[in-house]
Amino acid sequence: MAKLVLSLGDDILGYHFLEKDRFTIGRKPSNDMHIDDASVSKEHAAIITVGNDQILEDLGSTNGTLVNGRKIGKHILQNNDTIDIGRYQLRYINQKAKPGMDFDRTIMMMPVINLKKGEGSGDTVTNVEVPADRAVSVARAANINSPLGGVNGVSGTHAGQTLELKRPLATFGKPGVQVAVINRRPHGYTITHVEGKKFPQVNNKTIGEVACPLADGDEIEVGGEKLKFFMSK
């Protein structure tokens, strides 16, 4: 099981196992990791488990969140990553998180979809940190030859809108309640549960923890909105 080792300078202060789907870090006592220090925001960062991956997300903190010395918005954690939060350091330990990224991991780190209509509407789309140039070029090359699809908003935040899923990753739902990501891959599109106690539904059937393939005409329900997936002809 993955864990975080908390330290300040040369002193190790303790460790926490990442047993929850969403693990929060911050100055408020209600956080899963409570760090009572002025350099840490009340709700500083969160780690979200998606399948075998764990994604670190800065929650708009005052001092930012760094991984291996680099400021991030979102970052897929890898074994022995060093996270700076305020004056504190966290070492991410997970033997299953191997160094380097395969194609699916690279896809998840690419920028989120630019909406053809309704850009910036609601709070359902999340910005994602861009990885190194090599990883970006790999994902772009794969993206050119992959099929193009999109969603029509039936009800909720994107009702009446048509969103083309040109980029590798798009996030839908309501943060803190239920969130899912739609991934564009060479062989098609999949939807994956990211956050929330309840899983999204596809065609009135609850999806599991693994990525669920999407087909033309599939109806998606996530975070209080309904979407109809389509493939371009």
Side-chain angles (χ1 to χ4, degrees):
M1 180 180 296
K3 67 179 179 180
L4 296 172
V5 179
L6 176 66
S7 62
L8 179 61
D10 294 329
D11 298 325
I12 296 177
L13 305 179
Y15 60 88
H16 294 255
F17 287 102
L18 298 176
E19 300 176 306
K20 301 175 62 177
D21 290 339
R22 188 174 190 269
F23 182 94
T24 59
I25 305 166
R27 197 170 73 247
K28 288 175 62 176
S30 58
N31 285 285
D32 298 301
M33 179 182 285
H34 174 217
I35 304 177
D36 189 11
D37 190 277
S39 66
V40 179
S41 295
K42 293 180 180 179
E43 296 179 347
H44 198 107
I47 296 176
I48 299 170
T49 299
V50 183
N52 293 324
D53 289 313
Q54 287 170 317
I55 304 171
L56 172 67
E57 177 182 4
D58 182 81
L59 299 179
S61 64
T62 301
N63 294 321
T65 301
L66 281 70
V67 176
N68 302 327
R70 180 168 173 254
K71 192 172 184 179
I72 59 96
K74 281 191 177 183
H75 172 82
I76 297 182
L77 290 167
Q78 299 185 36
N79 190 38
N80 284 324
D81 274 349
T82 299
I83 305 164
D84 288 299
I85 291 183
R87 300 190 301 125
Y88 295 78
Q89 281 193 331
L90 302 173
R91 177 63 59 89
Y92 176 74
I93 306 296
N94 184 4
Q95 298 298 329
K96 293 183 179 180
K98 298 178 181 179
M101 293 184 181
D102 59 22
F103 180 74
D104 286 348
R105 292 169 68 84
T106 301
I107 284 294
M108 293 188 69
M109 294 301 296
M110 287 293 290
V112 76
I113 173 181
N114 287 325
L115 304 185
K116 181 178 181 181
K117 297 182 180 179
E119 182 165 357
S121 62
D123 59 355
T124 59
V125 178
T126 304
N127 291 324
V128 180
E129 189 74 10
V130 179
D133 291 342
R134 182 182 63 80
V136 172
S137 63
V138 170
R140 283 177 178 167
N143 194 32
I144 293 173
N145 297 320
S146 58
L148 180 62
V151 292
N152 291 315
V154 178
S155 63
T157 303
H158 296 107
Q161 299 176 10
T162 297
L163 313 180
E164 292 184 345
L165 304 179
K166 293 182 178 180
R167 296 295 181 90
L169 174 66
T171 306
F172 295 94
K174 187 174 181 180
V177 179
Q178 189 183 54
V179 177
V181 293
I182 295 179
N183 289 330
R184 184 185 181 194
R185 299 172 176 173
H187 56 271
Y189 288 81
T190 62
I191 183 170
T192 305
H193 174 72
V194 172
E195 180 183 352
K197 294 182 179 180
K198 294 184 178 180
F199 290 84
Q201 292 188 341
V202 175
N203 299 327
N204 297 317
K205 293 183 179 180
T206 302
I207 67 172
E209 294 183 355
V210 298
C212 175
L214 290 172
D216 187 54
D218 279 351
E219 295 183 353
I220 301 166
E221 294 185 41
V222 55
E225 62 178 326
K226 293 184 179 181
L227 308 162
K228 188 168 185 177
F229 177 78
F230 66 85
M231 293 298 300
S232 298
K233 304 299 183 182

Short mmCIF file of all heavy atoms in Angstrom, two decimals, residues 55-93:
data_model
loop_
_atom_site.label_atom_id
_atom_site.label_comp_id
_atom_site.label_asym_id
_atom_site.label_seq_id
_atom_site.Cartn_x
_atom_site.Cartn_y
_atom_site.Cartn_z
N ILE A 55 -3.06 10.54 -8.09
CA ILE A 55 -2.86 11.85 -8.68
C ILE A 55 -2.84 12.90 -7.58
O ILE A 55 -3.81 13.05 -6.83
CB ILE A 55 -3.96 12.19 -9.70
CG1 ILE A 55 -4.02 11.09 -10.77
CG2 ILE A 55 -3.71 13.55 -10.34
CD1 ILE A 55 -5.22 11.21 -11.69
N LEU A 56 -1.74 13.64 -7.49
CA LEU A 56 -1.62 14.74 -6.55
C LEU A 56 -2.16 16.01 -7.20
O LEU A 56 -1.78 16.34 -8.32
CB LEU A 56 -0.15 14.93 -6.15
CG LEU A 56 0.17 16.17 -5.32
CD1 LEU A 56 -0.45 16.07 -3.92
CD2 LEU A 56 1.69 16.37 -5.23
N GLU A 57 -3.04 16.73 -6.50
CA GLU A 57 -3.63 17.95 -7.03
C GLU A 57 -3.49 19.08 -6.03
O GLU A 57 -3.84 18.94 -4.86
CB GLU A 57 -5.11 17.73 -7.35
CG GLU A 57 -5.81 18.99 -7.84
CD GLU A 57 -7.29 18.76 -8.09
OE1 GLU A 57 -7.78 17.65 -7.81
OE2 GLU A 57 -7.95 19.70 -8.56
N ASP A 58 -2.94 20.20 -6.46
CA ASP A 58 -2.91 21.40 -5.63
C ASP A 58 -4.32 22.00 -5.60
O ASP A 58 -4.98 22.11 -6.64
CB ASP A 58 -1.91 22.41 -6.18
CG ASP A 58 -1.83 23.66 -5.32
OD1 ASP A 58 -1.12 23.62 -4.29
OD2 ASP A 58 -2.49 24.66 -5.67
N LEU A 59 -4.79 22.39 -4.43
CA LEU A 59 -6.16 22.90 -4.28
C LEU A 59 -6.20 24.43 -4.21
O LEU A 59 -6.97 25.01 -3.47
CB LEU A 59 -6.80 22.29 -3.02
CG LEU A 59 -6.93 20.76 -3.02
CD1 LEU A 59 -7.55 20.28 -1.71
CD2 LEU A 59 -7.76 20.29 -4.21
N GLY A 60 -5.36 25.07 -5.01
CA GLY A 60 -5.33 26.53 -5.03
C GLY A 60 -4.63 27.10 -3.80
O GLY A 60 -5.00 28.17 -3.31
N SER A 61 -3.62 26.41 -3.32
CA SER A 61 -2.93 26.82 -2.10
C SER A 61 -2.17 28.13 -2.31
O SER A 61 -1.82 28.50 -3.43
CB SER A 61 -1.94 25.73 -1.67
OG SER A 61 -0.93 25.55 -2.65
N THR A 62 -1.89 28.81 -1.21
CA THR A 62 -1.19 30.09 -1.27
C THR A 62 0.25 29.93 -1.72
O THR A 62 0.75 30.67 -2.57
CB THR A 62 -1.21 30.78 0.11
OG1 THR A 62 -2.57 30.98 0.51
CG2 THR A 62 -0.49 32.12 0.06
N ASN A 63 0.96 28.95 -1.18
CA ASN A 63 2.37 28.76 -1.47
C ASN A 63 2.65 27.72 -2.54
O ASN A 63 3.81 27.49 -2.89
CB ASN A 63 3.12 28.39 -0.18
CG ASN A 63 3.12 29.52 0.83
OD1 ASN A 63 3.24 30.68 0.46
ND2 ASN A 63 2.96 29.19 2.10
N GLY A 64 1.60 27.09 -3.05
CA GLY A 64 1.78 26.11 -4.10
C GLY A 64 2.26 24.76 -3.60
O GLY A 64 2.59 24.58 -2.43
N THR A 65 2.25 23.80 -4.52
CA THR A 65 2.71 22.44 -4.24
C THR A 65 3.79 22.08 -5.25
O THR A 65 3.60 22.26 -6.44
CB THR A 65 1.55 21.43 -4.34
OG1 THR A 65 0.51 21.80 -3.41
CG2 THR A 65 2.01 20.02 -4.04
N LEU A 66 4.92 21.60 -4.76
CA LEU A 66 6.03 21.24 -5.63
C LEU A 66 6.28 19.74 -5.59
O LEU A 66 6.13 19.11 -4.53
CB LEU A 66 7.32 21.96 -5.21
CG LEU A 66 7.49 23.43 -5.61
CD1 LEU A 66 6.53 24.33 -4.86
CD2 LEU A 66 8.94 23.88 -5.37
N VAL A 67 6.64 19.17 -6.73
CA VAL A 67 7.06 17.77 -6.81
C VAL A 67 8.45 17.74 -7.42
O VAL A 67 8.66 18.24 -8.54
CB VAL A 67 6.09 16.92 -7.65
CG1 VAL A 67 6.61 15.51 -7.79
CG2 VAL A 67 4.70 16.90 -7.01
N ASN A 68 9.38 17.21 -6.67
CA ASN A 68 10.78 17.16 -7.12
C ASN A 68 11.29 18.53 -7.55
O ASN A 68 12.00 18.68 -8.55
CB ASN A 68 10.93 16.14 -8.26
CG ASN A 68 10.47 14.76 -7.85
OD1 ASN A 68 10.60 14.35 -6.70
ND2 ASN A 68 9.89 14.02 -8.80
N GLY A 69 10.86 19.56 -6.79
CA GLY A 69 11.32 20.92 -7.02
C GLY A 69 10.56 21.70 -8.06
O GLY A 69 10.89 22.86 -8.34
N ARG A 70 9.51 21.11 -8.65
CA ARG A 70 8.76 21.75 -9.73
C ARG A 70 7.31 21.98 -9.31
O ARG A 70 6.64 21.06 -8.83
CB ARG A 70 8.81 20.86 -10.98
CG ARG A 70 8.05 21.40 -12.18
CD ARG A 70 8.44 20.58 -13.41
NE ARG A 70 7.63 20.94 -14.57
CZ ARG A 70 6.66 20.20 -15.07
NH1 ARG A 70 6.36 19.05 -14.49
NH2 ARG A 70 5.99 20.58 -16.13
N LYS A 71 6.83 23.20 -9.48
CA LYS A 71 5.46 23.54 -9.11
C LYS A 71 4.48 22.82 -10.03
O LYS A 71 4.66 22.79 -11.25
CB LYS A 71 5.24 25.04 -9.18
CG LYS A 71 3.94 25.52 -8.54
CD LYS A 71 3.89 27.03 -8.47
CE LYS A 71 2.63 27.50 -7.75
NZ LYS A 71 2.58 28.98 -7.64
N ILE A 72 3.43 22.25 -9.44
CA ILE A 72 2.48 21.47 -10.24
C ILE A 72 1.05 21.93 -9.97
O ILE A 72 0.74 22.59 -8.97
CB ILE A 72 2.60 19.95 -9.93
CG1 ILE A 72 2.33 19.64 -8.44
CG2 ILE A 72 3.98 19.45 -10.32
CD1 ILE A 72 0.94 19.23 -8.11
N GLY A 73 0.18 21.58 -10.91
CA GLY A 73 -1.25 21.72 -10.70
C GLY A 73 -1.81 20.34 -10.39
O GLY A 73 -2.48 20.13 -9.39
N LYS A 74 -1.48 19.39 -11.27
CA LYS A 74 -1.76 17.97 -11.05
C LYS A 74 -0.55 17.16 -11.48
O LYS A 74 0.16 17.54 -12.41
CB LYS A 74 -2.99 17.52 -11.85
CG LYS A 74 -4.31 17.90 -11.23
CD LYS A 74 -5.46 17.18 -11.92
CE LYS A 74 -6.78 17.49 -11.26
NZ LYS A 74 -7.90 16.74 -11.88
N HIS A 75 -0.34 16.05 -10.80
CA HIS A 75 0.84 15.23 -11.09
C HIS A 75 0.54 13.78 -10.72
O HIS A 75 0.05 13.50 -9.63
CB HIS A 75 2.02 15.75 -10.27
CG HIS A 75 3.23 14.87 -10.35
ND1 HIS A 75 4.13 14.91 -11.39
CD2 HIS A 75 3.70 13.92 -9.48
CE1 HIS A 75 5.09 14.03 -11.17
NE2 HIS A 75 4.86 13.41 -10.04
N ILE A 76 0.82 12.86 -11.65
CA ILE A 76 0.71 11.43 -11.34
C ILE A 76 1.93 11.02 -10.54
O ILE A 76 3.06 11.10 -11.02
CB ILE A 76 0.58 10.59 -12.62
CG1 ILE A 76 -0.71 10.94 -13.36
CG2 ILE A 76 0.58 9.10 -12.27
CD1 ILE A 76 -0.94 10.13 -14.60
N LEU A 77 1.72 10.60 -9.31
CA LEU A 77 2.83 10.30 -8.41
C LEU A 77 3.57 9.03 -8.81
O LEU A 77 2.96 8.06 -9.26
CB LEU A 77 2.30 10.16 -6.98
CG LEU A 77 1.83 11.47 -6.33
CD1 LEU A 77 1.04 11.18 -5.06
CD2 LEU A 77 3.02 12.38 -6.03
N GLN A 78 4.87 9.07 -8.65
CA GLN A 78 5.72 7.92 -8.91
C GLN A 78 6.59 7.66 -7.68
O GLN A 78 6.86 8.56 -6.89
CB GLN A 78 6.57 8.16 -10.15
CG GLN A 78 5.71 8.36 -11.39
CD GLN A 78 6.53 8.48 -12.65
OE1 GLN A 78 7.56 7.83 -12.80
NE2 GLN A 78 6.08 9.31 -13.57
N ASN A 79 6.99 6.42 -7.52
CA ASN A 79 7.73 6.00 -6.34
C ASN A 79 8.93 6.92 -6.07
O ASN A 79 9.69 7.25 -6.96
CB ASN A 79 8.22 4.56 -6.53
CG ASN A 79 8.79 3.98 -5.26
OD1 ASN A 79 8.29 4.23 -4.17
ND2 ASN A 79 9.85 3.21 -5.39
N ASN A 80 9.04 7.34 -4.80
CA ASN A 80 10.12 8.20 -4.32
C ASN A 80 10.00 9.66 -4.74
O ASN A 80 10.95 10.43 -4.56
CB ASN A 80 11.50 7.66 -4.73
CG ASN A 80 11.91 6.46 -3.88
OD1 ASN A 80 11.62 6.41 -2.69
ND2 ASN A 80 12.57 5.50 -4.50
N ASP A 81 8.85 10.08 -5.28
CA ASP A 81 8.63 11.50 -5.53
C ASP A 81 8.72 12.27 -4.22
O ASP A 81 8.23 11.80 -3.17
CB ASP A 81 7.25 11.74 -6.16
CG ASP A 81 7.25 11.61 -7.67
OD1 ASP A 81 8.35 11.55 -8.25
OD2 ASP A 81 6.16 11.59 -8.25
N THR A 82 9.31 13.45 -4.27
CA THR A 82 9.39 14.32 -3.11
C THR A 82 8.44 15.49 -3.29
O THR A 82 8.53 16.22 -4.29
CB THR A 82 10.83 14.85 -2.90
OG1 THR A 82 11.71 13.74 -2.69
CG2 THR A 82 10.90 15.77 -1.70
N ILE A 83 7.53 15.67 -2.35
CA ILE A 83 6.50 16.69 -2.43
C ILE A 83 6.79 17.76 -1.39
O ILE A 83 6.98 17.46 -0.21
CB ILE A 83 5.11 16.09 -2.16
CG1 ILE A 83 4.83 14.93 -3.11
CG2 ILE A 83 4.02 17.16 -2.27
CD1 ILE A 83 3.67 14.04 -2.68
N ASP A 84 6.86 19.03 -1.82
CA ASP A 84 7.04 20.15 -0.90
C ASP A 84 5.71 20.85 -0.68
O ASP A 84 5.08 21.33 -1.64
CB ASP A 84 8.05 21.15 -1.48
CG ASP A 84 9.47 20.62 -1.43
OD1 ASP A 84 9.95 20.35 -0.32
OD2 ASP A 84 10.09 20.48 -2.50
N ILE A 85 5.28 20.91 0.57
CA ILE A 85 4.06 21.62 0.97
C ILE A 85 4.42 22.56 2.11
O ILE A 85 4.69 22.11 3.23
CB ILE A 85 2.96 20.63 1.39
CG1 ILE A 85 2.48 19.85 0.17
CG2 ILE A 85 1.80 21.34 2.06
CD1 ILE A 85 1.34 18.90 0.42
N GLY A 86 4.47 23.85 1.81
CA GLY A 86 4.93 24.80 2.81
C GLY A 86 6.36 24.50 3.20
O GLY A 86 7.24 24.28 2.36
N ARG A 87 6.64 24.44 4.51
CA ARG A 87 7.99 24.15 5.00
C ARG A 87 8.25 22.64 5.09
O ARG A 87 9.35 22.22 5.45
CB ARG A 87 8.17 24.76 6.40
CG ARG A 87 8.00 26.26 6.45
CD ARG A 87 8.42 26.83 7.80
NE ARG A 87 7.65 26.25 8.90
CZ ARG A 87 8.20 25.66 9.96
NH1 ARG A 87 9.50 25.52 10.05
NH2 ARG A 87 7.43 25.19 10.93
N TYR A 88 7.25 21.84 4.74
CA TYR A 88 7.32 20.40 4.97
C TYR A 88 7.59 19.63 3.68
O TYR A 88 7.29 20.10 2.58
CB TYR A 88 6.03 19.90 5.61
CG TYR A 88 5.81 20.46 6.99
CD1 TYR A 88 5.35 21.75 7.17
CD2 TYR A 88 6.08 19.70 8.12
CE1 TYR A 88 5.17 22.29 8.45
CE2 TYR A 88 5.89 20.21 9.40
CZ TYR A 88 5.44 21.51 9.54
OH TYR A 88 5.27 22.03 10.81
N GLN A 89 8.13 18.44 3.84
CA GLN A 89 8.35 17.54 2.72
C GLN A 89 7.60 16.22 2.94
O GLN A 89 7.53 15.74 4.08
CB GLN A 89 9.84 17.23 2.52
CG GLN A 89 10.61 18.33 1.82
CD GLN A 89 11.98 17.86 1.37
OE1 GLN A 89 12.58 16.97 1.98
NE2 GLN A 89 12.48 18.43 0.29
N LEU A 90 7.09 15.69 1.85
CA LEU A 90 6.44 14.38 1.87
C LEU A 90 7.15 13.49 0.87
O LEU A 90 7.36 13.89 -0.28
CB LEU A 90 4.96 14.49 1.49
CG LEU A 90 4.09 15.40 2.35
CD1 LEU A 90 2.71 15.53 1.73
CD2 LEU A 90 3.98 14.87 3.75
N ARG A 91 7.51 12.29 1.27
CA ARG A 91 8.10 11.32 0.34
C ARG A 91 7.03 10.29 0.02
O ARG A 91 6.47 9.66 0.92
CB ARG A 91 9.33 10.66 0.96
CG ARG A 91 9.98 9.58 0.08
CD ARG A 91 10.52 10.12 -1.22
NE ARG A 91 11.51 11.14 -1.04
CZ ARG A 91 12.81 10.92 -0.92
NH1 ARG A 91 13.26 9.68 -0.96
NH2 ARG A 91 13.65 11.90 -0.77
N TYR A 92 6.73 10.15 -1.29
CA TYR A 92 5.72 9.20 -1.74
C TYR A 92 6.39 7.84 -1.95
O TYR A 92 7.33 7.71 -2.74
CB TYR A 92 5.07 9.68 -3.03
CG TYR A 92 4.08 8.73 -3.65
CD1 TYR A 92 2.82 8.55 -3.11
CD2 TYR A 92 4.41 8.02 -4.80
CE1 TYR A 92 1.90 7.68 -3.68
CE2 TYR A 92 3.50 7.16 -5.39
CZ TYR A 92 2.25 6.98 -4.82
OH TYR A 92 1.35 6.12 -5.41
N ILE A 93 5.92 6.83 -1.24
CA ILE A 93 6.48 5.49 -1.33
C ILE A 93 5.43 4.54 -1.88
O ILE A 93 4.38 4.33 -1.27
CB ILE A 93 6.96 4.98 0.05
CG1 ILE A 93 7.92 5.98 0.70
CG2 ILE A 93 7.62 3.61 -0.10
CD1 ILE A 93 9.20 6.19 -0.06
#
